[in-house]
């Protein structure tokens, strides 16, 4: 069984392979799967979808032993909040992000260039042209 881990809310695809031609696959796991023979999908996966999924192969009424894979869906971080204190034109404007999700990194963007240090972003010598989201 093969998979590439995904983030919460995405579809998690599981793929089975066998060296025996013409087999059909039998899937099982802790959450419902959408099965298309050698592929099984966990639709809109959540961390509650985590667990062991297994598949066996059947040919001419003979069924193989099961192979298993542990699925671990990556949790979606909580939307961060941004804090700032307004400054006068020409001063540096500091923006600070916080999240209740541990271990996140932040990706900043805005209407003017920012100097970024993970949870902090600075608008150097801010002007009224720096206003915006």
């Amino acid at each position: 069984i093969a998979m590439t881990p995904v983030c919460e809310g995405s579809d998690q695809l599981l793929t089975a392979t066998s060296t025996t031609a013409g087999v059909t696959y039998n899937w099982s796991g802790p959450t419902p799967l959408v099965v298309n023979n050698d592929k099984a999908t966990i639709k809109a996966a959540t961390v509650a979808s985590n667990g062991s999924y297994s598949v066996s192969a059947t040919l001419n009424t003979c069924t193989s032993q099961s192979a298993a894979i542990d699925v671990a869906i990556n949790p979606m971080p909580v939307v961060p909040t941004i804090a700032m204190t307004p400054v006068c034109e020409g001063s540096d404007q500091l923006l600070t992000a916080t999240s209740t999700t541990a271990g996140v990194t932040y990706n900043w963007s805005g209407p003017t260039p920012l100097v970024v240090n993970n949870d902090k972003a600075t608008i150097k010598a801010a002007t009224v042209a720096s206003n915006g989201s």
Side-chain angles (χ1 to χ4, degrees):
I1 302 175
M3 66 164 216
T4 301
V6 298
C7 293
E8 194 169 24
S10 298
D11 292 349
Q12 176 66 72
L13 177 64
L14 308 174
T15 305
T17 56
S18 174
T19 57
T20 305
V23 298
T24 57
Y25 295 93
N26 315 295
W27 293 90
S28 65
T31 60
L33 297 164
V34 176
V35 175
N36 185 5
N37 198 30
D38 64 333
K39 294 175 180 44
T41 304
I42 305 166
K43 298 298 253 179
T46 67
V47 292
S49 305
N50 290 349
S52 183
Y53 291 78
S54 61
V55 64
S56 61
T58 300
L59 181 65
N60 299 325
T61 71
C62 299
T63 300
S64 71
Q65 292 184 1
S66 293
I69 192 166
D70 289 328
V71 169
I73 304 301
N74 297 317
M76 188 61 67
V78 172
V79 174
T81 58
I82 302 173
M84 62 165 242
T85 302
V87 297
C88 295
E89 189 170 26
S91 297
D92 291 351
Q93 174 67 70
L94 176 64
L95 308 171
T96 304
T98 56
S99 176
T100 57
T101 304
V104 299
T105 56
Y106 298 90
N107 304 297
W108 292 89
S109 65
T112 58
L114 298 165
V115 176
V116 175
N117 184 4
N118 193 30
D119 65 333
K120 293 178 179 36
T122 304
I123 302 168
K124 294 299 225 177
T127 67
V128 291
S130 305
N131 290 347
S133 280

